[in-house]
Amino acid sequence: MSSIAVHGGPAPHAAVRDAVDWGRVVVATLARGVVATLLGLALWAAAPALIGWQPTTVMTGSMEPRIVPGDVVVSRPVGSGEIATGKVLLADDPDQPDHLRMHRYVEDGPGGTMVTKGDANPQQDSTPIERSAVHGVAFLRIPFIGTPIRWISAGEWGLVAMLALGLTAVLALCTIDGSLRRLVEADDDTDGAAGGADDAAGPDDAAGPADGADDGLEARDGTTTGLPAAASTVLTRRALRRRARRVRRLRRVGGGAAVLVLAAAAGVLLPGAADAAPWSRTTVAPTANLTAGTATGVPTLTCAPAGSNTVTIAWTYDDGAAVPVSFDLMNGTTQVASTTTAGARSMVYGGAGLLNLGTTYTLHLRTNLGGSWTALSTPTVRVRVVSVLGLASASCVTA
């Protein structure tokens, strides 16, 4: 009787198990990478404080897009003679006691002061700062690592709880390949134990002494000469496993302690919220009470013929304390016309386009105070535009 060996691939369930094991290794590796990245950013943000530099959490968007809320900016102390225009300064805010201002130094002010401005603000800061109020010049930006501090300061506890749950989940994912790593360690321990046993059993042990008297003599010789007798130095498998478990426990405890130490250091060494009053807040200066302007849409908007091919778009608007930079005529999100004349209350519109055979547009008027300070009108006008090869005409549609 003869037998034939059939060679095939692994069983389907074994292949699935291997794929799952590889997935666990990949996910755990990525999770450990995320934890290492976060700890590295926290260390970068906190460690400069040990050499006298000042890490500061940015709380407002006045320096966007270069510096955004939640960033940590490390400021390097400098002498008053090293402060130059164009630098981003961290200084005591003269408009808000016990607050810090992180804005760009744009020009010299009266009496040796410095005029600052947020990159995202449409106007310069109302109060210049003294050179003695400067803590340092922005040197290093660590993105987003101060976001939890910003959330805690703003009382956004829901976001803080979600972040804590997310970090807990990531830490849990770091351990999902633990059984695989323990299996590898156990295999290594088993191989080591087997090798030690083989090394301990030498050729002399395989063939013992043939003479009983000689055996007794060797025992006495061992006793008299101080050579080791029956005690074995080879570790058993159980002892090796106990040692491996102790090593794993020490690693876990050490890793947890390192995480706690770094988190505590970040919490202690990331003080100071650098913020500037946004333009929706009232700020108090030594000689005046300033309230920021707010963009509002025009209350009325009308259309009237201006000629055979153009129309006049007119509106009313109360400037109040804020003078618009421009008024923009908008078709949806597209600007079709604009006027930058100070105090303008009308503009002429004649249409545009290469080929338009009579499309009716519903137009709004946008009040523009500069930057992102804009407001769109609620009233609209309807205008029909006809254009051929750039020759266009516009007419009001009243119904």
Side-chain angles (χ1 to χ4, degrees):
M1 180 176 179
S2 62
S3 61
I4 300 174
V6 179
H7 299 282
H13 66 276
V16 172
R17 185 176 65 249
D18 290 343
V20 171
D21 289 343
W22 274 109
R24 291 166 59 190
V25 172
V26 170
V27 171
T29 302
L30 291 176
R32 286 193 285 268
V34 170
V35 172
T37 301
L38 293 176
L39 290 177
L41 290 174
L43 184 62
W44 267 103
L50 300 176
I51 60 174
W53 295 17
Q54 186 166 352
T56 311
T57 303
V58 179
M59 305 299 286
T60 69
S62 61
M63 287 297 294
E64 291 180 324
R66 292 175 178 82
I67 303 173
V68 301
D71 289 352
V72 170
V73 176
V74 179
S75 299
R76 176 175 60 90
V78 294
S80 59
E82 301 178 59
I83 303 173
T85 55
K87 297 293 186 180
V88 177
L89 306 181
L90 177 68
D92 295 323
D93 193 338
D95 295 329
Q96 301 180 86
D98 301 324
H99 283 69
L100 297 174
R101 174 190 293 178
M102 180 172 286
H103 279 180
R104 193 176 302 278
Y105 173 23
V106 292
E107 63 182 42
D108 295 328
T113 59
M114 297 176 292
V115 177
T116 56
K117 176 182 177 297
D119 289 352
N121 291 346
Q123 299 176 8
Q124 297 174 349
D125 297 329
S126 58
T127 307
I129 61 175
E130 301 286 344
R131 291 183 177 269
S132 59
V134 176
H135 291 244
V137 174
F139 183 81
L140 178 66
R141 169 181 170 265
I142 301 94
F144 306 118
I145 196 65
T147 300
I149 297 176
R150 177 170 168 262
W151 288 346
I152 293 173
S153 177
E156 297 176 346
W157 301 110
L159 294 175
V160 174
M162 291 176 60
L163 177 63
L165 291 175
L167 291 177
T168 303
V170 171
L171 291 175
L173 290 176
C174 291
T175 63
I176 63 173
D177 65 340
S179 60
L180 298 176
R181 290 187 285 111
R182 286 193 293 271
L183 183 61
V184 172
E185 291 175 359
D187 290 342
D188 294 341
D189 292 344
T190 301
D191 294 341
D198 292 341
D199 294 340
D204 294 339
D205 296 331
D211 190 349
D214 291 341
D215 190 23
L217 179 60
E218 290 174 1
R220 286 191 299 273
D221 290 343
T223 303
T224 57
T225 58
L227 296 176
S232 174
T233 60
V234 178
L235 294 175
T236 64
R237 295 183 181 181
R238 180 176 298 176
L240 289 171
R241 286 195 294 270
R242 284 199 300 268
R243 186 173 66 180
R245 285 196 294 269
R246 285 196 298 269
V247 171
R248 286 195 295 271
R249 283 196 295 268
L250 289 174
R251 288 176 180 172
R252 293 193 189 101
V253 172
V259 171
L260 291 176
V261 169
L262 287 175
V268 171
L269 299 177
L270 294 184
D275 59 357
W279 290 96
S280 59
R281 185 187 301 174
T282 299
T283 61
V284 178
T287 58
N289 188 3
L290 305 177
T291 302
T294 302
T296 57
V298 300
T300 63
L301 189 63
T302 60
C303 177
S308 58
N309 297 322
T310 59
V311 296
T312 298
I313 308 298
W315 59 89
T316 59
Y317 184 76
D318 180 13
D319 285 346
V323 178
V325 174
S326 65
F327 288 99
D328 306 321
L329 195 61
M330 305 295 296
N331 175 28
T333 58
T334 303
Q335 177 182 325
V336 298
S338 180
T339 177
T340 58
T341 303
R345 294 295 179 265
S346 66
M347 73 173 72
V348 176
Y349 175 59
L354 293 177
L355 181 62
N356 194 330
L357 300 181
T359 303
T360 298
Y361 297 114
T362 300
L363 305 178
H364 295 261
L365 193 71
R366 182 175 65 186
T367 305
N368 180 21
L369 297 185
S372 59
W373 280 265
T374 62
L376 205 61
S377 66
T378 300
T380 61
V381 292
R382 302 179 69 209
V383 177
R384 179 179 290 111
V385 175
V386 178
S387 63
V388 178
L389 299 178
L391 299 176
S393 65
S395 58
C396 299
V397 177
T398 58

PDB file of all heavy atoms in Angstrom, residues 171-203:
ATOM      1  N   LEU A 171      -4.848  54.611  23.668  1.00  0.00           N
ATOM      2  CA  LEU A 171      -3.993  53.845  24.590  1.00  0.00           C
ATOM      3  C   LEU A 171      -4.400  52.384  24.636  1.00  0.00           C
ATOM      4  O   LEU A 171      -3.551  51.493  24.725  1.00  0.00           O
ATOM      5  CB  LEU A 171      -4.062  54.470  25.987  1.00  0.00           C
ATOM      6  CG  LEU A 171      -3.400  55.843  26.146  1.00  0.00           C
ATOM      7  CD1 LEU A 171      -3.659  56.397  27.542  1.00  0.00           C
ATOM      8  CD2 LEU A 171      -1.907  55.767  25.881  1.00  0.00           C
ATOM      9  N   ALA A 172      -5.722  52.132  24.564  1.00  0.00           N
ATOM     10  CA  ALA A 172      -6.182  50.733  24.541  1.00  0.00           C
ATOM     11  C   ALA A 172      -5.731  50.038  23.257  1.00  0.00           C
ATOM     12  O   ALA A 172      -5.338  48.860  23.272  1.00  0.00           O
ATOM     13  CB  ALA A 172      -7.703  50.687  24.678  1.00  0.00           C
ATOM     14  N   LEU A 173      -5.777  50.748  22.131  1.00  0.00           N
ATOM     15  CA  LEU A 173      -5.348  50.151  20.866  1.00  0.00           C
ATOM     16  C   LEU A 173      -3.857  49.832  20.871  1.00  0.00           C
ATOM     17  O   LEU A 173      -3.419  48.952  20.116  1.00  0.00           O
ATOM     18  CB  LEU A 173      -5.675  51.102  19.707  1.00  0.00           C
ATOM     19  CG  LEU A 173      -7.153  51.281  19.363  1.00  0.00           C
ATOM     20  CD1 LEU A 173      -7.331  52.317  18.274  1.00  0.00           C
ATOM     21  CD2 LEU A 173      -7.768  49.954  18.920  1.00  0.00           C
ATOM     22  N   CYS A 174      -3.090  50.549  21.693  1.00  0.00           N
ATOM     23  CA  CYS A 174      -1.656  50.260  21.769  1.00  0.00           C
ATOM     24  C   CYS A 174      -1.373  48.858  22.287  1.00  0.00           C
ATOM     25  O   CYS A 174      -0.280  48.327  22.075  1.00  0.00           O
ATOM     26  CB  CYS A 174      -0.956  51.282  22.685  1.00  0.00           C
ATOM     27  SG  CYS A 174      -0.889  52.954  22.014  1.00  0.00           S
ATOM     28  N   THR A 175      -2.336  48.250  22.964  1.00  0.00           N
ATOM     29  CA  THR A 175      -2.093  46.956  23.621  1.00  0.00           C
ATOM     30  C   THR A 175      -2.793  45.791  22.931  1.00  0.00           C
ATOM     31  O   THR A 175      -2.744  44.677  23.447  1.00  0.00           O
ATOM     32  CB  THR A 175      -2.578  47.028  25.087  1.00  0.00           C
ATOM     33  OG1 THR A 175      -4.012  47.250  25.107  1.00  0.00           O
ATOM     34  CG2 THR A 175      -1.906  48.169  25.822  1.00  0.00           C
ATOM     35  N   ILE A 176      -3.455  46.030  21.775  1.00  0.00           N
ATOM     36  CA  ILE A 176      -4.243  44.926  21.197  1.00  0.00           C
ATOM     37  C   ILE A 176      -3.368  43.829  20.607  1.00  0.00           C
ATOM     38  O   ILE A 176      -3.860  42.729  20.324  1.00  0.00           O
ATOM     39  CB  ILE A 176      -5.220  45.441  20.124  1.00  0.00           C
ATOM     40  CG1 ILE A 176      -4.448  46.052  18.946  1.00  0.00           C
ATOM     41  CG2 ILE A 176      -6.197  46.414  20.700  1.00  0.00           C
ATOM     42  CD1 ILE A 176      -5.354  46.408  17.792  1.00  0.00           C
ATOM     43  N   ASP A 177      -2.072  44.096  20.410  1.00  0.00           N
ATOM     44  CA  ASP A 177      -1.183  43.026  19.945  1.00  0.00           C
ATOM     45  C   ASP A 177      -0.366  42.451  21.098  1.00  0.00           C
ATOM     46  O   ASP A 177       0.636  41.775  20.867  1.00  0.00           O
ATOM     47  CB  ASP A 177      -0.249  43.557  18.859  1.00  0.00           C
ATOM     48  CG  ASP A 177       0.707  44.627  19.376  1.00  0.00           C
ATOM     49  OD1 ASP A 177       0.410  45.223  20.427  1.00  0.00           O
ATOM     50  OD2 ASP A 177       1.743  44.862  18.714  1.00  0.00           O
ATOM     51  N   GLY A 178      -0.812  42.684  22.343  1.00  0.00           N
ATOM     52  CA  GLY A 178      -0.055  42.206  23.497  1.00  0.00           C
ATOM     53  C   GLY A 178       0.082  40.703  23.538  1.00  0.00           C
ATOM     54  O   GLY A 178       1.151  40.170  23.854  1.00  0.00           O
ATOM     55  N   SER A 179      -0.993  39.983  23.200  1.00  0.00           N
ATOM     56  CA  SER A 179      -0.922  38.516  23.243  1.00  0.00           C
ATOM     57  C   SER A 179       0.073  37.994  22.217  1.00  0.00           C
ATOM     58  O   SER A 179       0.777  37.006  22.469  1.00  0.00           O
ATOM     59  CB  SER A 179      -2.305  37.923  22.985  1.00  0.00           C
ATOM     60  OG  SER A 179      -2.803  38.323  21.711  1.00  0.00           O
ATOM     61  N   LEU A 180       0.157  38.673  21.052  1.00  0.00           N
ATOM     62  CA  LEU A 180       1.126  38.236  20.050  1.00  0.00           C
ATOM     63  C   LEU A 180       2.550  38.470  20.540  1.00  0.00           C
ATOM     64  O   LEU A 180       3.432  37.626  20.351  1.00  0.00           O
ATOM     65  CB  LEU A 180       0.885  38.991  18.741  1.00  0.00           C
ATOM     66  CG  LEU A 180      -0.481  38.779  18.081  1.00  0.00           C
ATOM     67  CD1 LEU A 180      -0.614  39.659  16.850  1.00  0.00           C
ATOM     68  CD2 LEU A 180      -0.668  37.322  17.705  1.00  0.00           C
ATOM     69  N   ARG A 181       2.797  39.622  21.161  1.00  0.00           N
ATOM     70  CA  ARG A 181       4.136  39.893  21.673  1.00  0.00           C
ATOM     71  C   ARG A 181       4.503  38.936  22.797  1.00  0.00           C
ATOM     72  O   ARG A 181       5.642  38.489  22.892  1.00  0.00           O
ATOM     73  CB  ARG A 181       4.231  41.352  22.142  1.00  0.00           C
ATOM     74  CG  ARG A 181       4.206  42.343  20.983  1.00  0.00           C
ATOM     75  CD  ARG A 181       4.472  43.781  21.412  1.00  0.00           C
ATOM     76  NE  ARG A 181       3.323  44.361  22.083  1.00  0.00           N
ATOM     77  CZ  ARG A 181       3.258  44.674  23.352  1.00  0.00           C
ATOM     78  NH1 ARG A 181       4.293  44.454  24.129  1.00  0.00           N
ATOM     79  NH2 ARG A 181       2.172  45.220  23.879  1.00  0.00           N
ATOM     80  N   ARG A 182       3.516  38.600  23.653  1.00  0.00           N
ATOM     81  CA  ARG A 182       3.796  37.631  24.724  1.00  0.00           C
ATOM     82  C   ARG A 182       4.103  36.257  24.150  1.00  0.00           C
ATOM     83  O   ARG A 182       4.935  35.522  24.668  1.00  0.00           O
ATOM     84  CB  ARG A 182       2.607  37.566  25.677  1.00  0.00           C
ATOM     85  CG  ARG A 182       2.485  38.772  26.592  1.00  0.00           C
ATOM     86  CD  ARG A 182       1.504  38.519  27.713  1.00  0.00           C
ATOM     87  NE  ARG A 182       0.144  38.376  27.215  1.00  0.00           N
ATOM     88  CZ  ARG A 182      -0.692  39.391  27.049  1.00  0.00           C
ATOM     89  NH1 ARG A 182      -0.291  40.620  27.321  1.00  0.00           N
ATOM     90  NH2 ARG A 182      -1.924  39.194  26.615  1.00  0.00           N
ATOM     91  N   LEU A 183       3.419  35.919  23.041  1.00  0.00           N
ATOM     92  CA  LEU A 183       3.682  34.624  22.410  1.00  0.00           C
ATOM     93  C   LEU A 183       5.103  34.566  21.862  1.00  0.00           C
ATOM     94  O   LEU A 183       5.804  33.566  22.008  1.00  0.00           O
ATOM     95  CB  LEU A 183       2.669  34.396  21.281  1.00  0.00           C
ATOM     96  CG  LEU A 183       2.747  33.052  20.549  1.00  0.00           C
ATOM     97  CD1 LEU A 183       2.510  31.907  21.516  1.00  0.00           C
ATOM     98  CD2 LEU A 183       1.736  33.001  19.411  1.00  0.00           C
ATOM     99  N   VAL A 184       5.547  35.653  21.254  1.00  0.00           N
ATOM    100  CA  VAL A 184       6.918  35.699  20.746  1.00  0.00           C
ATOM    101  C   VAL A 184       7.915  35.612  21.889  1.00  0.00           C
ATOM    102  O   VAL A 184       8.915  34.875  21.809  1.00  0.00           O
ATOM    103  CB  VAL A 184       7.120  36.992  19.926  1.00  0.00           C
ATOM    104  CG1 VAL A 184       8.587  37.150  19.559  1.00  0.00           C
ATOM    105  CG2 VAL A 184       6.267  36.962  18.678  1.00  0.00           C
ATOM    106  N   GLU A 185       7.659  36.324  22.983  1.00  0.00           N
ATOM    107  CA  GLU A 185       8.558  36.271  24.127  1.00  0.00           C
ATOM    108  C   GLU A 185       8.597  34.877  24.731  1.00  0.00           C
ATOM    109  O   GLU A 185       9.649  34.390  25.133  1.00  0.00           O
ATOM    110  CB  GLU A 185       8.132  37.293  25.177  1.00  0.00           C
ATOM    111  CG  GLU A 185       8.339  38.743  24.736  1.00  0.00           C
ATOM    112  CD  GLU A 185       7.801  39.718  25.764  1.00  0.00           C
ATOM    113  OE1 GLU A 185       7.264  39.237  26.785  1.00  0.00           O
ATOM    114  OE2 GLU A 185       7.926  40.939  25.547  1.00  0.00           O
ATOM    115  N   ALA A 186       7.438  34.209  24.777  1.00  0.00           N
ATOM    116  CA  ALA A 186       7.397  32.853  25.325  1.00  0.00           C
ATOM    117  C   ALA A 186       8.205  31.896  24.458  1.00  0.00           C
ATOM    118  O   ALA A 186       8.926  31.022  24.956  1.00  0.00           O
ATOM    119  CB  ALA A 186       5.949  32.379  25.422  1.00  0.00           C
ATOM    120  N   ASP A 187       8.098  32.066  23.106  1.00  0.00           N
ATOM    121  CA  ASP A 187       8.899  31.221  22.223  1.00  0.00           C
ATOM    122  C   ASP A 187      10.387  31.456  22.453  1.00  0.00           C
ATOM    123  O   ASP A 187      11.183  30.515  22.502  1.00  0.00           O
ATOM    124  CB  ASP A 187       8.549  31.529  20.764  1.00  0.00           C
ATOM    125  CG  ASP A 187       7.151  31.038  20.405  1.00  0.00           C
ATOM    126  OD1 ASP A 187       6.622  30.182  21.145  1.00  0.00           O
ATOM    127  OD2 ASP A 187       6.594  31.525  19.385  1.00  0.00           O
ATOM    128  N   ASP A 188      10.781  32.721  22.612  1.00  0.00           N
ATOM    129  CA  ASP A 188      12.190  33.027  22.870  1.00  0.00           C
ATOM    130  C   ASP A 188      12.645  32.422  24.184  1.00  0.00           C
ATOM    131  O   ASP A 188      13.746  31.867  24.283  1.00  0.00           O
ATOM    132  CB  ASP A 188      12.419  34.532  22.878  1.00  0.00           C
ATOM    133  CG  ASP A 188      12.189  35.154  21.507  1.00  0.00           C
ATOM    134  OD1 ASP A 188      12.220  34.399  20.514  1.00  0.00           O
ATOM    135  OD2 ASP A 188      11.970  36.388  21.435  1.00  0.00           O
ATOM    136  N   ASP A 189      11.778  32.505  25.226  1.00  0.00           N
ATOM    137  CA  ASP A 189      12.135  31.948  26.531  1.00  0.00           C
ATOM    138  C   ASP A 189      12.285  30.437  26.438  1.00  0.00           C
ATOM    139  O   ASP A 189      13.175  29.836  27.037  1.00  0.00           O
ATOM    140  CB  ASP A 189      11.074  32.320  27.566  1.00  0.00           C
ATOM    141  CG  ASP A 189      11.085  33.814  27.859  1.00  0.00           C
ATOM    142  OD1 ASP A 189      12.082  34.469  27.509  1.00  0.00           O
ATOM    143  OD2 ASP A 189      10.081  34.316  28.406  1.00  0.00           O
ATOM    144  N   THR A 190      11.380  29.789  25.674  1.00  0.00           N
ATOM    145  CA  THR A 190      11.433  28.337  25.536  1.00  0.00           C
ATOM    146  C   THR A 190      12.720  27.909  24.849  1.00  0.00           C
ATOM    147  O   THR A 190      13.393  26.972  25.263  1.00  0.00           O
ATOM    148  CB  THR A 190      10.220  27.846  24.736  1.00  0.00           C
ATOM    149  OG1 THR A 190       9.031  28.238  25.414  1.00  0.00           O
ATOM    150  CG2 THR A 190      10.243  26.338  24.603  1.00  0.00           C
ATOM    151  N   ASP A 191      13.071  28.642  23.774  1.00  0.00           N
ATOM    152  CA  ASP A 191      14.317  28.315  23.083  1.00  0.00           C
ATOM    153  C   ASP A 191      15.514  28.495  24.002  1.00  0.00           C
ATOM    154  O   ASP A 191      16.435  27.681  24.016  1.00  0.00           O
ATOM    155  CB  ASP A 191      14.480  29.215  21.851  1.00  0.00           C
ATOM    156  CG  ASP A 191      13.417  28.921  20.801  1.00  0.00           C
ATOM    157  OD1 ASP A 191      12.825  27.824  20.869  1.00  0.00           O
ATOM    158  OD2 ASP A 191      13.180  29.801  19.940  1.00  0.00           O
ATOM    159  N   GLY A 192      15.507  29.553  24.816  1.00  0.00           N
ATOM    160  CA  GLY A 192      16.624  29.789  25.728  1.00  0.00           C
ATOM    161  C   GLY A 192      16.727  28.710  26.782  1.00  0.00           C
ATOM    162  O   GLY A 192      17.811  28.254  27.134  1.00  0.00           O
ATOM    163  N   ALA A 193      15.570  28.273  27.306  1.00  0.00           N
ATOM    164  CA  ALA A 193      15.575  27.232  28.333  1.00  0.00           C
ATOM    165  C   ALA A 193      16.084  25.918  27.763  1.00  0.00           C
ATOM    166  O   ALA A 193      16.864  25.199  28.386  1.00  0.00           O
ATOM    167  CB  ALA A 193      14.175  27.047  28.910  1.00  0.00           C
ATOM    168  N   ALA A 194      15.670  25.600  26.537  1.00  0.00           N
ATOM    169  CA  ALA A 194      16.119  24.360  25.919  1.00  0.00           C
ATOM    170  C   ALA A 194      17.623  24.395  25.685  1.00  0.00           C
ATOM    171  O   ALA A 194      18.344  23.427  25.928  1.00  0.00           O
ATOM    172  CB  ALA A 194      15.377  24.134  24.600  1.00  0.00           C
ATOM    173  N   GLY A 195      18.123  25.534  25.209  1.00  0.00           N
ATOM    174  CA  GLY A 195      19.561  25.659  24.990  1.00  0.00           C
ATOM    175  C   GLY A 195      20.339  25.532  26.280  1.00  0.00           C
ATOM    176  O   GLY A 195      21.380  24.894  26.333  1.00  0.00           O
ATOM    177  N   GLY A 196      19.819  26.129  27.371  1.00  0.00           N
ATOM    178  CA  GLY A 196      20.515  26.049  28.649  1.00  0.00           C
ATOM    179  C   GLY A 196      20.576  24.636  29.169  1.00  0.00           C
ATOM    180  O   GLY A 196      21.568  24.199  29.721  1.00  0.00           O
ATOM    181  N   ALA A 197      19.482  23.883  28.980  1.00  0.00           N
ATOM    182  CA  ALA A 197      19.469  22.492  29.440  1.00  0.00           C
ATOM    183  C   ALA A 197      20.475  21.672  28.666  1.00  0.00           C
ATOM    184  O   ALA A 197      21.193  20.831  29.220  1.00  0.00           O
ATOM    185  CB  ALA A 197      18.063  21.910  29.297  1.00  0.00           C
ATOM    186  N   ASP A 198      20.554  21.899  27.346  1.00  0.00           N
ATOM    187  CA  ASP A 198      21.518  21.142  26.547  1.00  0.00           C
ATOM    188  C   ASP A 198      22.937  21.476  26.963  1.00  0.00           C
ATOM    189  O   ASP A 198      23.815  20.609  27.011  1.00  0.00           O
ATOM    190  CB  ASP A 198      21.333  21.459  25.053  1.00  0.00           C
ATOM    191  CG  ASP A 198      20.004  20.902  24.538  1.00  0.00           C
ATOM    192  OD1 ASP A 198      19.460  19.999  25.208  1.00  0.00           O
ATOM    193  OD2 ASP A 198      19.518  21.387  23.485  1.00  0.00           O
ATOM    194  N   ASP A 199      23.169  22.768  27.227  1.00  0.00           N
ATOM    195  CA  ASP A 199      24.517  23.148  27.631  1.00  0.00           C
ATOM    196  C   ASP A 199      24.873  22.552  28.979  1.00  0.00           C
ATOM    197  O   ASP A 199      26.023  22.220  29.229  1.00  0.00           O
ATOM    198  CB  ASP A 199      24.650  24.667  27.701  1.00  0.00           C
ATOM    199  CG  ASP A 199      24.515  25.278  26.309  1.00  0.00           C
ATOM    200  OD1 ASP A 199      24.714  24.533  25.319  1.00  0.00           O
ATOM    201  OD2 ASP A 199      24.180  26.492  26.223  1.00  0.00           O
ATOM    202  N   ALA A 200      23.891  22.436  29.866  1.00  0.00           N
ATOM    203  CA  ALA A 200      24.188  21.924  31.206  1.00  0.00           C
ATOM    204  C   ALA A 200      24.517  20.450  31.186  1.00  0.00           C
ATOM    205  O   ALA A 200      25.256  19.960  32.011  1.00  0.00           O
ATOM    206  CB  ALA A 200      23.003  22.187  32.146  1.00  0.00           C
ATOM    207  N   ALA A 201      23.901  19.729  30.232  1.00  0.00           N
ATOM    208  CA  ALA A 201      24.140  18.292  30.161  1.00  0.00           C
ATOM    209  C   ALA A 201      25.321  18.034  29.238  1.00  0.00           C
ATOM    210  O   ALA A 201      25.172  18.064  28.010  1.00  0.00           O
ATOM    211  CB  ALA A 201      22.890  17.581  29.643  1.00  0.00           C
ATOM    212  N   GLY A 202      26.505  17.782  29.804  1.00  0.00           N
ATOM    213  CA  GLY A 202      27.708  17.568  29.007  1.00  0.00           C
ATOM    214  C   GLY A 202      27.938  16.099  28.752  1.00  0.00           C
ATOM    215  O   GLY A 202      27.194  15.222  29.190  1.00  0.00           O
ATOM    216  N   PRO A 203      29.010  15.797  28.073  1.00  0.00           N
ATOM    217  CA  PRO A 203      29.307  14.405  27.765  1.00  0.00           C
ATOM    218  C   PRO A 203      29.534  13.576  29.003  1.00  0.00           C
ATOM    219  O   PRO A 203      29.180  12.408  29.034  1.00  0.00           O
ATOM    220  CB  PRO A 203      30.591  14.493  26.913  1.00  0.00           C
ATOM    221  CG  PRO A 203      30.637  15.905  26.404  1.00  0.00           C
ATOM    222  CD  PRO A 203      29.953  16.723  27.416  1.00  0.00           C
TER     223      PRO A 203
END
